[in-house]
Amino acid sequence: MSETALPKEQAQPAPETPAKPPAAPVERRGNGLAVLALLLGAAGAAAGGWGIWQVRNLQANHQQQSGQLQDLGSQAQSLKLSEQQLAARLDQLPAASELEDRRRLVAQLQGDQQRLSQRLESVLGASRKDWRLAEAEHLLRLATLRLSALQDVTSALALVQGADDILREQNDPGSFAAREQLAKSLAALRSTEQPDRTGLFLQLGALRDQVTQLNELAPEYKDRGDSLLGLTSDGDGASRWSQWWDEISRYIRIDFNANKNIRPLLAGQSLTQVRLALSLALEQAQWAALNGQAEVYTQALTEARDVLTGSFNPDNPQSKVMVEQLAELGKKPVTVLTPDLAATLGAVQAYLERRHVETETPVSGDAKPAQENRP
């Protein structure tokens, strides 16, 4: 028993001595496992969050895809409806042969319409040219009338220039003769001087306004002594004789050194009649100036000068100035020798007649084929 116990006793203290030193590694292993567990937990949490995020994304994508599928379904339905409508329309369309016939008819109609439009344009173009040429002839007629009736060179020149511009726009070689005559007429009109009738009329009107202010200068008695007045100053009737002498001295003039032909003074009705005669003569001169009547103009001015020189003394400054102005107005021309536009008008009319003949010939030629094509 003792022998057996000794080994046991010897065997027991052996593990007692080394049992304390390995206690530290056991604690370190426990801390490492805790850290590892924490890391595994964090990784699991992260994996769970990522999985949740993925699930949410999948759900959102699924909802989006479902919405797209619904849109596609609605589009498919609309396409089906449109396809059905197109099919119904295609069923209503005619056959291919009928479509070909209609296309041929449309092409033929377009060709006919194009030919008709070309003919219409040619006809309208010719009519516009004819209207313009008729306007040129009318302008020449107006120019001839202005020259013959009013001798208005300026207006006639503008009218003839307008007719020449119309012929120039036509650009027709056949209008050479007409344009040549127009050029001659324009040169003749430019070389003709236009009288200033308006200026003459206004100047004569100014003289008519001065007629109402035309007066005869009465001589005034100047007392150089008191012999005569002294004779009339005696007695009680001095004032009466003085008044009588003042009144009669207006009508009596005694000049012992008279060497001129002194005309009687105009007063009252005589002066009014002279003014009226002079005003009528100037008015007649105004009418003659406006109408280009040279004889009447000269005669009226002569009558006005005769009235002034026969009724007023030469020393009257008003009548003297008027006589000088009338002499100056009498030198100015009233009429003018206007050129004759008959040759120019005849050349333009001949050109218009040739043009009408040329335009009517092709029209009659085109009418025959049109009649032949009719069924």
Side-chain angles (χ1 to χ4, degrees), residues 11-27:
Q12 290 177 353
E16 290 179 359
T17 53
K20 293 181 181 179
V26 173
E27 294 178 359

Side-chain angles (χ1 to χ4, degrees), residues 265-309:
L265 297 178
L266 298 174
Q269 186 177 3
S270 299
L271 183 59
T272 303
Q273 292 177 355
V274 170
R275 288 176 180 174
L276 181 60
L278 184 58
S279 178
L280 290 176
L282 294 176
E283 186 177 359
Q284 188 177 11
Q286 283 182 308
W287 178 87
L290 285 180
N291 293 275
Q293 302 292 333
E295 296 179 359
V296 179
Y297 179 76
T298 304
Q299 183 179 359
L301 292 182
T302 302
E303 291 178 359
R305 287 196 300 268
D306 292 342
V307 170
L308 288 174
T309 56

Side-chain angles (χ1 to χ4, degrees), residues 85-99:
Q85 292 176 358
L86 288 175
R89 290 182 181 179
L90 288 175
D91 294 336
Q92 294 176 359
L93 290 176
S97 60
E98 187 177 356
L99 289 175

Side-chain angles (χ1 to χ4, degrees), residues 30-302:
N31 292 332
L33 291 174
V35 171
L36 181 59
L38 288 175
L39 292 175
L40 291 174
W50 181 78
I52 294 171
W53 179 74
Q54 288 291 333
V55 169
R56 290 181 179 178
N57 286 334
L58 290 174
Q59 291 177 354
N61 292 330
H62 179 69
Q63 292 178 357
Q64 185 177 2
Q65 290 178 359
S66 63
Q68 292 178 355
L69 288 175
Q70 291 178 357
D71 295 336
L72 290 174
S74 61
Q75 292 178 1
Q77 291 179 358
S78 62
L79 288 174
K80 287 181 180 180
L81 292 175
S82 61
E83 185 179 359
Q84 291 176 359
Q85 292 176 358
L86 288 175
R89 290 182 181 179
L90 288 175
D91 294 336
Q92 294 176 359
L93 290 176
S97 60
E98 187 177 356
L99 289 175
E100 184 65 21
D101 295 337
R102 291 184 179 181
R103 187 188 64 79
R104 192 182 307 108
L105 291 175
V106 168
Q108 184 178 359
L109 180 60
Q110 289 178 353
D112 295 340
Q113 185 179 3
Q114 186 176 3
R115 286 191 295 271
L116 287 175
S117 63
Q118 291 176 357
R119 290 183 182 179
L120 182 60
E121 289 178 359
S122 62
V123 171
L124 290 178
S127 62
R128 290 193 187 98
K129 291 181 180 180
D130 293 338
W131 293 341
R132 293 288 289 171
L133 292 174
E135 182 181 357
E137 182 184 2
H138 181 65
L139 291 177
L140 288 177
R141 291 182 183 275
L142 287 178
T144 304
L145 182 61
R146 299 287 294 185
L147 288 177
S148 61
L150 301 177
Q151 295 182 351
D152 191 355
V153 179
T154 305
S155 299
L157 178 61
L159 293 171
V160 175
Q161 184 65 48
D164 184 68
D165 293 339
I166 291 174
L167 291 180
R168 179 172 56 83
E169 292 174 359
Q170 302 299 321
N171 195 15
D172 187 6
S175 63
F176 178 79
R179 292 201 63 190
E180 184 180 5
Q181 291 295 329
L182 285 171
K184 292 180 181 180
S185 299
L186 288 173
L189 289 173
R190 291 191 180 99
S191 62
T192 303
E193 184 180 0
Q194 175 70 39
D196 188 10
R197 296 176 180 174
T198 305
L200 294 176
F201 180 84
L202 295 176
Q203 292 177 13
L204 291 171
L207 290 178
R208 284 188 60 195
D209 295 338
Q210 293 180 4
V211 170
T212 57
Q213 302 175 0
L214 189 62
N215 296 316
E216 178 65 29
L217 297 178
E220 297 179 358
Y221 178 77
K222 295 181 181 180
D223 185 15
R224 297 182 181 180
D226 57 346
S227 58
L228 296 176
L229 294 177
L231 294 175
T232 60
S233 63
D234 296 338
D236 297 335
S239 59
R240 185 179 63 184
W241 285 103
S242 298
Q243 293 176 0
W244 177 81
W245 180 257
D246 293 337
E247 184 68 23
I248 199 173
S249 64
R250 299 178 183 178
Y251 304 99
I252 299 174
R253 179 180 179 184
I254 301 174
D255 190 359
F256 296 98
N257 297 321
N259 55 358
K260 298 181 181 179
N261 185 12
I262 300 176
R263 295 176 177 81
L265 297 178
L266 298 174
Q269 186 177 3
S270 299
L271 183 59
T272 303
Q273 292 177 355
V274 170
R275 288 176 180 174
L276 181 60
L278 184 58
S279 178
L280 290 176
L282 294 176
E283 186 177 359
Q284 188 177 11
Q286 283 182 308
W287 178 87
L290 285 180
N291 293 275
Q293 302 292 333
E295 296 179 359
V296 179
Y297 179 76
T298 304
Q299 183 179 359
L301 292 182
T302 302

